[in-house]
């Protein structure tokens, strides 16, 4: 089955740029999306179709996908961005949804 | 605005079953798939399966095949997830999520969950 791999944790200083990666075999040939989940809350869609932002998502969140890696970039990171982030894609061989293991972003 | 409202927390014995509901409002229920995703304490998100209400077609993750049943009642815009033969490790928050899918370039499907329920805690305890 298809697998997505994320680093367990990423740290960033306020105002700096955070990058969270998601790796999978030929992931660049698929469409990745990203979710933010704060403690005790349901996930929120941040990025879909690799780089599109839903209405209401701040412009500091952006996404890219190429080769074997999708990347979520947070520019000018704020304390409120401290959360868990999950990537997700579609496994075309099974029509199943696959999530990465999640990355805890700490804003120091 | 689409809202997904789930049923309340449950405490179940090992070996029993649980059925969680998810009532949708503000959108066209039958036009999208509804998926169920669970999250064990301190763990990540895990996709369980989906239903496409307009056709009644279901699709389950291999891990839950044979133990999970997802149904939908179009008349009340409500989806249900029933998990049987509960084990301690089934203790988790269970979410319903509206799934938007579109087939794009070279046959690949872009799918994302744009609306989520508030989650239902299912505790399996003896």
């Amino acid at each position: 089955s298809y697998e997505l791999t994320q680093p367990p944790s990423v740290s960033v200083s306020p105002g700096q740029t955070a990058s969270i990666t998601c790796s999978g075999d030929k992931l660049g040939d698929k469409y990745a999306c990203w979710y933010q989940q704060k403690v005790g809350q349901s996930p929120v869609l941040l990025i879909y179709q690799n780089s599109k932002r839903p209405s209401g998502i701040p412009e500091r969140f952006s996404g890219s996908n190429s080769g074997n890696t999708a990347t979520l970039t947070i520019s000018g990171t704020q304390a409120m961005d401290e959360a868990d982030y999950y990537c997700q894609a579609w496994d075309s061989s099974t029509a199943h949804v696959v999530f990465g293991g999640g990355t805890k972003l700490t804003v120091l | 605005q689409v809202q997904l409202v789930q049923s309340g927390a449950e405490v179940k014995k090992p070996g029993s079953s649980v059925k969680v509901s998810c009532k949708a409002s503000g959108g066209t229920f039958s036009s999208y798939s509804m998926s169920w995703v669970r999250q064990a304490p301190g763990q990540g998100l895990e996709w369980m399966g989906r239903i496409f209400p307009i056709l009644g077609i279901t699709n389950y993750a291999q891990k839950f095949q044979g133990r999970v049943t997802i149904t939908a009642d179009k008349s009340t815009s409500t989806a249900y997830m029933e998990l049987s033969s509960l084990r301690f490790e089934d203790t988790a928050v269970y979410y319903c999520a509206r799934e938007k899918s579109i087939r794009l370039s070279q046959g690949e499907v872009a799918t994302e969950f744009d609306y989520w329920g508030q989650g239902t805690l299912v505790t399996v305890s003896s």
Side-chain angles (χ1 to χ4, degrees), chain A residues 5-38:
Chain A
T5 301
Q6 298 180 235
S9 63
V10 168
S11 297
V12 64
S13 300
Q16 298 304 302
T17 296
S19 294
I20 299 174
T21 58
C22 174
S23 300
D25 185 45
K26 298 180 181 177
L27 180 57
D29 292 341
K30 302 180 183 295
Y31 291 92
C33 63
W34 292 89
Y35 303 90
Q36 177 192 66
Q37 185 181 34
K38 296 184 177 179

Side-chain angles (χ1 to χ4, degrees), chain A residues 29-31 33 35 37 40-45 47-49 84 86 88-90 92 94-102, chain B residues 35 37 39 43-47 50 59-62 95 99 101-102 104-105 108-114 116-119:
Chain A
D29 292 341
K30 302 180 183 295
Y31 291 92
C33 63
Y35 303 90
Q37 185 181 34
Q41 298 183 18
S42 301
V44 172
L45 179 65
I47 297 289
Y48 67 101
Q49 291 179 26
D84 293 326
Y86 295 90
Q88 176 245 297
W90 168 281
S92 53
T94 60
H96 292 177
V97 168
V98 180
F99 286 100
Chain B
S35 273
V37 176
Q39 186 171 38
Q43 302 300 308
L45 302 173
E46 184 174 32
W47 183 77
R50 69 166 67 85
N59 192 205
Y60 301 126
Q62 182 84 10
Y95 296 100
E99 184 175 351
S101 298
I102 183 169
L104 294 172
S105 62
E108 278 293 336
V109 173
T111 188
E112 65 267 0
F113 302 118
D114 58 351
W116 294 69
Q118 82 276 20

